[in-house]
């Protein structure tokens, strides 16, 4: 199963991604975590990305695409993935679309986390106190919400037009949200199986190694 999560910062994508990945035995690929790993390891990519992350801006598409592609291709080969934080721009979505179509596959579901701004701001302020993330200051949080509206929001229409957008209410107890999402994914899996879609879809391509 190939699932991507779309939602503003603070919507709980990371928490739910970990739970869903464990439940369905999928790889969890979180671009924010990958970028923070590169920054902590002080790699060249990390040094370039750091300023963007700290300001709450999106890291340039080419960097994120480079960072993500090999992981997505590998996870695709190994049974599927939950993408948390990718794609966040139309250019990234197009890149992902190209990787997938080159392998005769496509995303199964784009799961949209719906949540109001007041709830988000409250959650992010709480996370800032607990985790001390450098991009969780109030000013940066507001900026990240604006970036979501301007750059990521168009993906909703993009995936709606492809017929794979599913909305989920991201408010309420964490367990209840997980249950709702798992139900959606089980339903999708059953439907795909009934349609005979669960055949091995990917052939090994040495160019990916
Ligand atoms: P949040 O969803 O709370 O903003 P993330 O950990 O997903 O947190 O992302 C943190 C930061 O990492 C973003 O503000 C951005 O700078 C960078 N980032 C993560 N994913 C992407 C992406 N797909 N494209 C560009 N930048 C990204």
């Amino acid at each position: 199963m190939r699932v991507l999560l779309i939602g503003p910062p603070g919507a709980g994508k990371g928490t739910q991604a970990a739970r869903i990945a464990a439940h369905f035995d999928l790889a969890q690929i979180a671009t924010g975590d990958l970028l923070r790993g590169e920054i902590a390891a002080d790699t060249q990519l990390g040094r370039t990305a750091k300023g963007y992350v700290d300001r709450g801006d999106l890291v340039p598409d080419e960097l994120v695409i480079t960072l993500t592609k090999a992981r997505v291709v590998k996870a695709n080969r190994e049974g599927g993935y939950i993408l948390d934080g990718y794609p966040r721009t139309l250019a990234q979505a197009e890149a992902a679309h190209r990787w997938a179509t080159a392998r005769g596959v496509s995303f199964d579901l784009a799961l949209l986390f719906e949540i109001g701004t007041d709830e988000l701001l409250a959650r992010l302020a709480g996370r800032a106190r607990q985790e001390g993330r450098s991009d969780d200051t109030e000013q940066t949080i507001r900026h990240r919400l604006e970036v979501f509206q301007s750059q990521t929001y168009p993906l909703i229409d993009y995936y709606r037009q492809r017929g794979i957008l599913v909305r989920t209410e991201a408010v309420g107890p964490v367990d209840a949200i997980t249950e709702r999402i798992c139900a959606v994914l089980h339903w999708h899996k059953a439907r795909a199986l009934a349609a005979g879609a669960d055949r091995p879809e990917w052939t090994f391509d040495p160019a990916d190694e």
Side-chain angles (χ1 to χ4, degrees), residues 7-11 13 30-33 35-36 49 52-54 56-61 64 68 84-89 92 124 127 133 135-136 144:
K13 300 184 301 294
T31 37
D33 289 345
L35 286 167
R36 283 185 286 277
Y52 295 94
V53 172
D54 285 349
D57 283 322
L58 293 186
V59 173
D61 287 330
V64 180
T68 313
D84 163 15
Y86 186 96
R88 282 198 193 198
T89 64
Q92 293 176 18
L124 287 164
R127 186 168 85 183
R133 250 172 63 168
D135 59 347
D136 267 350
R144 276 158 52 217

Side-chain angles (χ1 to χ4, degrees), residues 10 23 85 93 102-103 109 111 113 118 120 135 160 166 177 184:
H23 185 89
R103 293 168 180 81
L109 290 176
L111 208 55
F113 282 50
D118 290 348
L120 278 181
D135 59 347
R160 198 177 50 75
V166 177
I177 298 170
V184 169

Side-chain angles (χ1 to χ4, degrees), residues 1-2 75-81 99-108 188 192-193 195-205:
M1 210 162 23
R2 291 166 290 270
N76 185 49
R77 199 158 57 217
E78 290 168 359
Y81 49 77
W99 311 336
T101 42
R103 293 168 180 81
V105 298
S106 57
F107 287 142
D108 294 297
H188 173 82
L193 270 175
D198 208 15
R199 59 192 182 275
E201 294 153 314
W202 198 88
T203 34
F204 179 70
D205 178 355

Side-chain angles (χ1 to χ4, degrees), residues 1 12 14 20 26 32 40 49 53 66 74 76 97 105 132 147-148 153 165 170-172 175 177 183 190 195:
M1 210 162 23
I20 308 161
L26 300 169
V53 172
T66 305
K74 178 170 182 281
N76 185 49
H97 184 65
V105 298
V147 168
F148 175 78
Y153 204 78
L165 188 79
V171 185
D175 285 345
I177 298 170

